[in-house]
Amino acid sequence: MSDLMSTAIEAHGGLYRYNQYSSATVHFRLGGSLWRLKGREGILSHAAVRLDLHRQYASHYPFTAAHLRTSFTADRVAVETVDGEVKAERSDPRASFPSDVHAPWDDLHVAYFAGYAMWTYLTSPFTFGTDEFKAVELPAVTEETETWRRLQVTFPDHITTHCREQVFYFGPDGLLRRHDYTPEVINAGRAAHYPSAYQEFDGIMVPTRRRVFRLGEDGTASRDTGLVTIDVESVLFI
């Protein structure tokens, strides 16, 4: 494990503590221009997600109705009742996304995107410590008056996420400051994701404010409009 990876994992709570937990439940508020673009403004505006920490699974609730929830894994997504009755499902969900950036999303598109995105955000950087993830340190950069060290992380094939290679920026305290990726299912280019306002939950440091912006060709984020906004209200690790 590289020095930067070790520093980042320890700063966020450490692998020993993280591995004591099997799941996390997060209550949050969701917004941003993406949902208007996809005709789903207001969806998951005030919701919760329960995710498994050591396998890729997530479930958002309530989802479009008080008695409905999502069920996400890498190769299947579904909308089901709280009693487990399947209302809609889709295998190989990534293949179903339209190439037109302006095309609307259906419920299963939203469930898949929100599922893998929140799983990626809540399990990073802890997952990087496994042999399946490959990480290379890139030259540091200066942003917001700080020097941020960077890791280019290659995700394994069996994990579904925004794109295979992503770049994570860590501040002097080891906490994640920025996360760059290309959200391939949106087909709108690169994005820069800024986590902030960290709080400790059950010994794990979690950013309670996340803002995602479009990223220009020069590497500068367009901060006029947030593509996605996430405000975390509470997190419970068990």
Side-chain angles (χ1 to χ4, degrees), residues 157-202:
D157 290 341
H158 67 88
I159 297 293
T160 189
T161 182
H162 290 299
C163 59
R164 199 57 50 208
E165 287 189 352
Q166 304 178 28
V167 179
F168 295 78
Y169 301 61
F170 299 93
D173 56 3
L175 295 177
L176 183 65
R177 294 287 198 276
R178 174 173 160 176
H179 175 193
D180 291 358
Y181 48 79
T182 301
E184 294 171 340
V185 299
I186 301 176
N187 199 29
R190 298 162 65 212
H193 178 146
Y194 288 86
S196 61
Y198 279 83
Q199 292 185 30
E200 182 179 323
F201 297 94
D202 302 312

Side-chain angles (χ1 to χ4, degrees), residues 14-22 53-54 126 130 204:
L15 270 181
Y16 177 78
R17 184 181 298 275
Y18 180 80
N19 286 335
Q20 292 180 321
Y21 302 123
S22 60
L53 300 178
H54 303 290
F126 301 103
T130 68
I204 305 297

Side-chain angles (χ1 to χ4, degrees), residues 7 10 17 31 51 63 71 76 84 93-94 109-110 120-121 137-138 166 184 195 201 205 215 231:
T7 298
E10 285 304 312
R17 184 181 298 275
L51 54 92
F63 186 74
S71 177
R76 176 185 176 271
R94 200 175 189 90
H109 291 134
V110 173
T120 298
Y121 304 155
E137 185 166 358
L138 302 176
Q166 304 178 28
E184 294 171 340
F201 297 94
M205 296 299 292
L215 193 58
D231 292 287

Side-chain angles (χ1 to χ4, degrees), residues 31 52 99 109 156:
D52 288 353
S99 59
H109 291 134

